[in-house]
Every structure is written in structure tokens, then in C-alpha cells.
Amino acid sequence: MNETLKRGISGVVYIVLLLTSILYSTETFFILFGIFLLIAIYEFCNLVQIHKVFPIIFGFSLYSTVALVSHYNQETVSFLKTNFDLDIDLNINIQQLNIVLLVIALVVTLKCILFLFYDSIQKINTSSKYLYLLGYIILPFVFITKISFGVIDYNPKIIIGLFILIWTNDTFAYIVGKSIGKTKLLEKISPKKTVEGFLGGLLFAVVAGYLISKYYIKAKPEFSDRSILIWTSIAVIVGVAGTIGDLIESKFKRIANVKDSGNIMPGHGGILDRLDSVIFVAPLIFLFYQILNYVS
């Protein structure tokens, strides 16, 4: 099969699966990203060469537990009481839990940035591998599910809007970079990325953020200006942090001496290759949410 056709078909299948799961129900959204998490853990373990069984069990357990405690508390208590005769109190302070998880994720985010820009780092020690696994892979998937709930309840428009921004940034960074890109962004890690492409992707992401707020989110008139500011700010975070996330995954692959993180998506590589931007962006968007709530 032609490589371009193969890439196109797998891309369409990915987008349809993603949008269907997000729009159909909260449960299908959680299930799909739980599956993505398991694949991402498997791929990351291959990249950094650590055993897979414990990370997969731990990652799935943490993701499931946080989801159940945060969003299905009463249902979980009822299930345990009915089926196992367990009278357990799961009244956990979710806000405190979120802060603890966010601090861990942000510490690892900073470590990832240092890892990216220190070219001398060509070998990762064992403790760092597991720290990256927790804060760079597992927790971002937890925050992807959390940011989709917005202020009150599950809102598929939030997560779809986030993916639109990421796709817009990636697409126009590629188009602008290929058309007029001359200044290399970080040649040792990703030779094809240029400063012009980065700025072009960022600019079009901001435009997309404005359009999403105006015509997709459609906030009430009294909140319109605030919504535009929020979504254009998210676009800036996506443009900057998404590019850094892409470069960080490229460095992991460069050290592992592989082209792709996996081969589950013909022509595209692995799940990490598709989600490298969003998993790096997710904790930062959640932090942005917390700041907005604090100043509101």
C-alpha cells in the first residue's frame, strides 16, 4: 500500500476514534484514554528499556483510582458495598489530591525541560526513568481527563478544542517551516524544526483559539471577552509547551536510536508520537485552570 495512503487512512481512523469516544460519553472518553495510557506506558518502557509489567499495572491502577474517586465516588462506594460488603468512606479532598498530583507533574515537567536542553545527557539513570514514567506519561493522562470537566461537568468541547489547537499548531508549524523556514530551532534534537515554523504554528494556534471561543464554545455575551482571552492564552500555552513536548519525545527517541515510539499507527508511529504534545501540555493547562479559579 502507498505510504501516503496508509498514513491518511490510519490518521482518519485515529481522529474518528478519538472524536467518537469524546462525544459519545464520559465513560468512552475515560476508556479510550485508559487504553492510550497503557500503550504509551508500553512504548515508553521500550524507549528507556525498563520492564513493562509493574509500570503498566501501576499506571492503570493510578489512572483508574483517580478517575473513580474524582468522578464516580458514590457509584464506587455503592459497588464495593453491594458486591464485596465493604463499607468504605471515599470522601477524599479532591482539590488537595489534584494539587499533590499537579506538583509532582510540574516537578517532572521542569526535569524534562532540563533534560531537553542539556545536550550532554545521553544516558538516563534508573530512578529518572521511573520518575519520567510517573510525571511525563502517567499523570498527564490523568490531567487530560480532569481538564475535560471544566468548571462543573464533563464538556467534550474543551478537550476537542484542545486537540484542534494542537493539530493547528503542528500543521501550520510544518507548512510555514517547509515554506520559509531557515533558522533551526533545536537542530541536534529535531533537524526539521525551524524558528519560523514554530512562530507560524503559534500564530495560527492563537487564531484557532479565537475562532474556537467565538464559534465553537459560544460563551454567553457577558463572558465572550473572557472566553476569548482564555482560549487564546491556552493557544499560546499549546504553541510553546506543545513544541517543547514534541522535542522532549524526540530526544528520548534519539537516545534510544529509534525513529518512532511504536508502530501501532501505520505511517504515524506510536501513540506517544501522536500524543507527545498533549501529554506535555495537559498539566500546564490544568495549572492554568487553577490560576483562573483562584483569581476569579
Side-chain angles (χ1 to χ4, degrees):
M1 184 184 289
N2 182 289
E3 186 66 25
T4 303
L5 179 60
K6 187 191 299 183
R7 182 180 175 86
I9 292 173
S10 64
V12 169
V13 170
Y14 167 72
I15 291 173
V16 169
L17 180 63
L18 189 70
L19 294 180
T20 302
S21 71
I22 292 170
L23 291 169
Y24 187 74
S25 71
T26 314
E27 289 71 30
T28 55
F29 169 64
F30 274 108
I31 290 169
L32 180 67
F33 276 86
I35 294 170
F36 281 170
L37 170 61
L38 295 179
I39 299 170
I41 293 172
Y42 180 88
E43 292 177 351
F44 185 76
C45 289
N46 278 339
L47 283 181
V48 299
Q49 297 182 330
I50 57 177
H51 293 296
K52 305 174 185 68
V53 176
F54 172 74
I56 287 174
I57 293 173
F58 174 77
F60 182 74
S61 299
L62 180 60
Y63 175 86
S64 302
T65 301
V66 173
L68 290 173
V69 167
S70 300
H71 308 293
Y72 299 94
N73 197 298
Q74 293 181 350
E75 293 86 345
T76 303
V77 170
S78 177
F79 176 82
L80 292 174
K81 190 171 184 179
T82 303
N83 293 277
F84 300 98
D85 198 27
L86 295 174
D87 191 11
I88 296 177
D89 182 12
L90 292 180
N91 289 325
I92 297 171
N93 189 318
I94 303 302
Q95 186 63 28
Q96 288 183 358
L97 174 64
N98 289 342
I99 291 172
V100 170
L101 296 179
L102 182 59
V103 168
I104 296 171
L106 292 176
V107 168
V108 179
T109 295
L110 180 59
K111 183 174 174 60
C112 284
I113 293 172
L114 294 174
F115 164 73
L116 172 63
F117 289 106
Y118 277 92
D119 290 339
S120 59
I121 300 176
Q122 293 300 322
K123 190 174 181 181
I124 311 167
N125 61 48
T126 302
S127 60
S128 290
K129 290 177 182 179
Y130 285 100
L131 190 61
Y132 287 132
L133 177 69
L134 174 62
Y136 172 65
I137 302 295
I138 298 172
L139 291 182
F141 277 88
V142 172
F143 287 115
I144 287 171
T145 60
K146 284 186 173 294
I147 60 180
S148 65
F149 277 77
V151 179
I152 301 174
D153 203 356
Y154 178 65
N155 185 351
K157 288 186 176 183
I158 294 175
I159 198 68
I160 290 175
L162 179 59
F163 272 100
I164 290 173
L165 291 178
I166 288 171
W167 293 334
T168 300
N169 180 68
D170 289 348
T171 301
F172 283 96
Y174 173 78
I175 292 172
V176 174
K178 193 165 186 179
S179 302
I180 61 172
K182 293 181 180 179
T183 311
K184 299 299 181 182
L185 185 62
L186 203 59
E187 190 171 8
K188 290 183 178 180
I189 304 300
S190 186
K192 294 182 180 179
K193 278 188 168 49
T194 64
V195 173
E196 294 84 357
F198 164 70
L199 293 175
L202 180 60
L203 175 62
F204 278 96
V206 170
V207 172
Y210 173 82
L211 295 175
I212 287 169
S213 173
K214 200 77 175 173
Y215 301 106
Y216 184 54
I217 300 298
K218 294 181 181 178
K220 293 178 181 178
E222 60 267 31
F223 298 115
S224 179
D225 291 343
R226 177 181 168 86
S227 176
I228 289 170
L229 180 60
I230 288 172
W231 277 95
T232 52
S233 298
I234 290 174
V236 172
I237 296 171
V238 166
V240 176
T243 302
I244 294 174
D246 190 3
L247 288 168
I248 288 169
E249 201 234 353
S250 293
K251 182 153 187 178
F252 277 117
K253 291 189 293 186
R254 184 167 289 273
I255 292 175
N257 197 28
V258 296
K259 181 179 180 290
D260 298 316
S261 65
N263 55 12
I264 194 169
M265 292 180 62
H268 291 270
I271 287 298
L272 276 181
D273 295 317
R274 292 299 88 211
L275 297 178
D276 53 4
S277 295
V278 73
I279 62 173
F280 193 76
V281 162
L284 299 176
I285 298 296
F286 189 78
L287 173 64
F288 180 63
Y289 271 23
Q290 301 309 300
I291 294 171
L292 282 178
N293 290 333
Y294 180 77
V295 299
S296 296

